[in-house]
Amino acid sequence: MTVKEFTDYIKTHAYIKADGEAHECMHAAAAEARRITCEINNKFHTAEELRTLFSELIGKPVDETFSLFPPIYSDFGKNITVGKRVFMNEGCAFQDQGGIEIGDDCLIGHQVVIATLNHDPAPSERGSMIAAPVKLGRRVWVGAHATILPGVTIGDNAIVAAGAVVTKDVPANTVVGGVPAKFIKYVDD
């Protein structure tokens, strides 16, 4: 299975059977992601070099307005889409097998975790996984140390407070925080 076949498969089949073809593809892609993130994280690079390396990681070009402060971690890489004027701060970790879409003008704080996989809850199938994409709308601000769990969509202009654990969708123009994240207030412009 190619990476393209995997990402197409994930869009229609969220279940990844342990030791199946999709699972094996994930492991091969993970090795490539580790190689590229090691290159990003272990020596100084200019902003242009970081854009080039991040583009290699995700398998598509990022806009010249994209900005990244390493280190960054990804255990797949090829199922991330990034809009224009996106900034990612240090220490972010993306488990992107299920798909991560980051809209224009998003700010991603220090050590944010975005996860798109859960293990099967049945003990006999625990090695299998269930994928669900994460989508950040336009102008989303995710605070430091926040965690966004599989299947969550965050609406335009929303703010996720530092340290929040987001377990369900966040409406546009709202601030959420806490564990699990709950509505705090509306965003005023």
Side-chain angles (χ1 to χ4, degrees):
M1 176 178 279
T2 67
V3 169
K4 169 82 169 97
E5 290 169 336
F6 176 88
T7 56
D8 289 344
Y9 172 84
I10 286 300
K11 290 176 186 171
T12 58
H13 302 86
Y15 197 76
I16 303 165
K17 184 78 173 145
D19 299 323
E21 190 177 11
H23 195 250
E24 302 221 354
C25 179
M26 282 177 23
H27 283 285
E32 174 73 359
R34 284 192 309 274
R35 182 190 66 74
I36 298 167
T37 57
C38 279
E39 173 65 24
I40 290 171
N41 296 339
N42 290 309
K43 83 181 222 194
F44 175 80
H45 296 283
T46 65
E48 183 178 332
E49 290 169 337
L50 286 170
R51 282 191 294 276
T52 298
L53 286 164
F54 192 80
S55 294
E56 182 182 353
L57 175 67
I58 68 172
K60 52 189 123 358
V62 293
D63 191 78
E64 65 183 21
T65 59
F66 172 79
S67 184
L68 166 69
F69 286 3
I72 188 165
Y73 305 95
S74 170
D75 55 359
F76 188 72
K78 301 298 190 247
N79 210 1
I80 300 171
T81 303
V82 178
K84 295 177 181 175
R85 297 170 302 279
V86 168
F87 171 69
M88 294 177 185
N89 220 323
E90 297 174 345
C92 292
F94 299 138
Q95 180 196 52
D96 63 288
Q97 290 91 336
I100 296 173
E101 184 179 324
I102 300 172
D104 293 345
D105 302 298
C106 285
L107 304 173
I108 312 295
H110 287 90
Q111 297 181 342
V112 166
V113 172
I114 300 178
T116 66
L117 292 178
N118 275 318
H119 286 276
D120 191 317
S124 62
E125 295 294 328
R126 192 65 43 88
S128 297
M129 289 167 265
I130 303 158
V134 170
K135 190 180 247 185
L136 278 58
R138 296 172 47 99
R139 296 173 302 278
V140 170
W141 173 18
V142 182
H145 298 273
T147 299
I148 302 169
L149 297 181
V152 169
T153 295
I154 299 178
D156 293 349
N157 307 313
I159 299 171
V160 175
V165 176
V166 185
T167 61
K168 60 184 180 180
D169 290 354
V170 175
N173 303 302
T174 61
V175 178
V176 298
V179 180
K182 294 184 180 0
F183 172 82
I184 296 174
K185 66 180 182 177
Y186 290 101
V187 174
D188 269 338
D189 197 356

